């Protein structure tokens, strides 16, 4: 069975600085997807970024980028130029390529942004 | 705008009650999911459904059941609520079983069992 681990329950960053959230996963599959979701206090889960395992190039979305290390099974999220609105719970998630649409989530990292 | 709507944002129930959590999506999605969110544990899959009248157990199905009589509606049922089922419950939907269509989440129901 696949597992996802986020070892940082809480992180803090100064506004305008850069922060990296860590995620590791375990799987025996070679094809899969990885995601980072953001959950602000409104509770609405928002997709931040997605990575297909077959792609070597790291995904980027504006200020958000990932460092995907397939051999190490590591998938970290870097947030550049942090803004107050980035404060939220962040979840890393795994989805198998051939097991339908189930998402497997990590424990979450709560990010606070200091003005 | 596409939506997944959960019927209640907050719910307080008594131990032993039968509880229904309702979820409706308007995107004609085949897949629907129920997750439970607890601090330090992340989101854990309770049940999911790939089609009407189909259901499959997730990682923590004990104490729960589900119903999917119509494509747009997926209900989570707590047969006899217990205090250890106090949690946040999130519903989600996505497109075809083998597609990578985006998940859409509801806003969650925070259930307290007293």
């Amino acid at each position: 069975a696949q597992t996802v681990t986020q070892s940082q329950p809480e992180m803090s960053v100064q506004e305008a600085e850069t922060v990296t959230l860590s995620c590791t996963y375990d799987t025996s599959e070679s094809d899969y997807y990885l995601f980072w979701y953001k959950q602000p206090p409104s509770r609405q889960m928002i997709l931040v970024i997605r990575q297909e395992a077959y792609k070597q190039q790291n995904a980027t979305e504006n200020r958000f980028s990932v460092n995907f290390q397939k051999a190490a099974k590591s998938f970290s999220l870097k947030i550049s130029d942090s803004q107050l609105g980035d404060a939220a719970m962040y979840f890393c998630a795994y989805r198998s390529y051939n097991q339908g649409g189930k998402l497997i989530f990590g424990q979450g990292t709560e990010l606070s942004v200091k003005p | 705008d596409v939506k997944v709507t959960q019927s209640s944002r907050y719910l307080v129930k008594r131990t032993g009650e039968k509880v229904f959590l309702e979820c409706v999506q308007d995107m004609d999605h085949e897949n629907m999911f129920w997750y439970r969110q607890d601090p330090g544990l992340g989101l854990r899959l309770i049940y999911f459904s790939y089609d009407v009248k189909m259901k499959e157990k997730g990682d923590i199905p004990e104490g729960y059941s589900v119903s999917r009589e119509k494509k747009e509606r997926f209900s989570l049922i707590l047969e006899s609520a217990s205090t250890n089922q106090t949690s946040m419950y999130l519903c989600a939907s996505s497109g075809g079983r083998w597609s990578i269509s985006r998940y859409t989440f509801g806003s969650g129901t925070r259930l307290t069992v007293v």
Side-chain angles (χ1 to χ4, degrees):
Chain A
Q2 297 85 19
T3 59
V4 177
T5 302
Q6 294 177 248
S7 57
Q8 306 156 316
E10 299 174 349
M11 291 283 285
S12 180
V13 64
Q14 205 71 35
E15 197 175 5
E17 298 292 308
T18 295
V19 65
T20 298
L21 308 184
S22 301
C23 173
T24 58
Y25 59 94
D26 190 27
T27 184
S28 58
E29 299 176 326
S30 58
D31 293 320
Y32 48 88
Y33 304 95
L34 295 166
F35 305 86
W36 278 98
Y37 280 89
K38 171 184 177 182
Q39 187 184 45
S42 68
R43 306 183 198 165
Q44 189 63 53
M45 293 283 276
I46 301 164
L47 177 64
V48 175
I49 201 163
R50 172 181 119 182
Q51 176 80 43
E52 287 89 344
Y54 67 86
K55 290 186 178 179
Q56 293 186 339
Q57 188 171 5
N58 289 324
T60 63
E61 288 285 344
N62 301 313
R63 298 183 294 108
F64 299 87
S65 62
V66 297
N67 183 3
F68 173 49
Q69 302 288 328
K70 191 173 184 179
K73 296 179 183 174
S74 170
F75 183 60
S76 61
L77 175 70
K78 186 172 84 170
I79 305 174
S80 304
D81 185 26
S82 296
Q83 300 175 0
L84 295 177
D86 295 333
M89 183 72 81
Y90 286 82
F91 291 100
C92 179
Y94 172 102
R95 178 181 164 175
S96 172
Y97 203 74
N98 57 9
Q99 290 185 23
K102 294 185 292 181
L103 284 174
I104 300 167
F105 287 87
Q107 298 87 342
T109 297
E110 183 155 16
L111 177 67
S112 59
V113 180
K114 297 178 180 177
Chain B
D1 200 12
V2 295
K3 275 189 175 176
V4 173
T5 302
Q6 294 185 230
S7 53
S8 304
R9 190 161 173 84
Y10 297 95
L11 209 53
V12 179
K13 294 292 182 180
R14 295 194 180 277
T15 301
E17 274 193 78
K18 189 169 186 176
V19 180
F20 293 84
L21 302 184
E22 305 287 348
C23 176
V24 177
Q25 51 98 358
D26 64 0
M27 296 159 286
D28 201 35
H29 279 168
E30 280 90 358
N31 306 332
M32 295 190 76
F33 308 86
W34 275 107
Y35 288 88
R36 170 177 171 159
Q37 181 178 350
D38 298 289
L41 298 177
L43 281 74
R44 294 176 291 166
L45 183 63
I46 305 172
Y47 266 98
F48 59 104
S49 168
Y50 290 137
D51 204 347
V52 176
K53 297 195 184 295
M54 288 183 65
K55 61 183 179 183
E56 294 194 37
K57 293 180 179 179
D59 299 318
I60 52 166
E62 297 78 18
Y64 304 93
S65 63
V66 289
S67 172
R68 194 165 181 202
E69 296 296 318
K70 294 184 178 181
K71 190 175 186 180
E72 66 271 17
R73 186 180 295 269
F74 192 37
S75 303
L76 180 69
I77 304 159
L78 287 65
E79 296 290 343
S80 177
S82 64
T83 54
N84 63 13
Q85 293 178 310
T86 291
S87 187
M88 168 99 98
Y89 292 87
L90 284 167
C91 176
S93 73
S94 71
R97 181 172 181 170
W98 309 113
S99 80
I100 190 51
S101 73
R102 183 175 291 209
Y103 256 55
T104 302
F105 286 87
S107 295
T109 295
R110 191 171 294 281
L111 173 68
T112 302
V113 182
V114 298

